[in-house]
Amino acid sequence: MDDIVKKLIRKHKTNDPFSLARCLNINIRFTDLGKNTRGIYHKALQRRFIIIHNDLSPEWQRFICAHELGHDRLHRGVNRFFIEEHSFFNPGKFERQANEFAVSLLTAEDSISSGESIHEIFRRNHIPLELINHM
């Protein structure tokens, strides 16, 4: 996964998820997704979309964009809703991988000091601290 992130950053010269999405021709939309959904990655008719809940803080919107970009890079062709409805496979693995991709992307330009806590790294890179327990 780190290799995918490094190649993406090297090619497009940024680790900003919004800029990367534009470079990859992924449309970003903001809308009300209700109380339980922060973001969605959707592909329809060869067009790709990242849909982000419009009521989130900028920090969360940035993370969600990176997370959904992870689905595009790691899980292309996988429909989470189909998996949930028609199989016994737990889509939680895909969500954890997308979270790991997002953290790797958002911290890629940072050098971690010895003895530094994950809280400090997340805070410095504007990653929501609530995610620490979901990694």
Side-chain angles (χ1 to χ4, degrees), residues 17-69:
F18 293 104
S19 296
L20 288 169
R22 282 189 293 278
C23 290
L24 296 168
N25 293 315
I26 301 173
N27 299 286
I28 299 174
R29 302 286 185 261
F30 295 88
T31 191
D32 185 351
L33 293 173
K35 293 181 181 182
N36 298 321
T37 305
R38 292 182 176 148
I40 298 170
Y41 172 76
H42 181 68
K43 182 177 178 184
L45 303 172
Q46 303 303 315
R47 294 178 66 199
R48 297 172 294 161
F49 297 89
I50 291 175
I51 305 158
I52 301 171
H53 188 20
N54 61 353
D55 200 28
L56 296 174
S57 69
E59 180 180 75
W60 268 105
Q61 287 181 354
R62 181 173 166 265
F63 180 83
I64 295 302
C65 187
H67 172 98
E68 301 304 336
L69 197 55

Side-chain angles (χ1 to χ4, degrees), residues 111-125:
S111 56
I112 299 165
S113 302
S114 137
E116 191 171 32
S117 77
I118 193 164
H119 287 84
E120 292 166 316
I121 297 163
F122 274 41
R123 193 173 294 115
R124 185 173 59 245
N125 288 284

Side-chain angles (χ1 to χ4, degrees), residues 1 11 34 77 111:
M1 180 179 322
K11 180 176 181 179
S111 56

Side-chain angles (χ1 to χ4, degrees), residues 17 39-41 50 60-75 80 94-103 105-106 131:
I40 298 170
Y41 172 76
I50 291 175
W60 268 105
Q61 287 181 354
R62 181 173 166 265
F63 180 83
I64 295 302
C65 187
H67 172 98
E68 301 304 336
L69 197 55
H71 285 304
D72 177 76
R73 300 284 91 189
L74 304 172
H75 310 129
R80 176 188 176 191
F94 294 130
E95 296 306 310
R96 280 190 303 282
Q97 288 174 341
N99 280 348
E100 290 170 11
F101 178 93
V103 169
L105 177 68
L106 297 174
L131 290 161

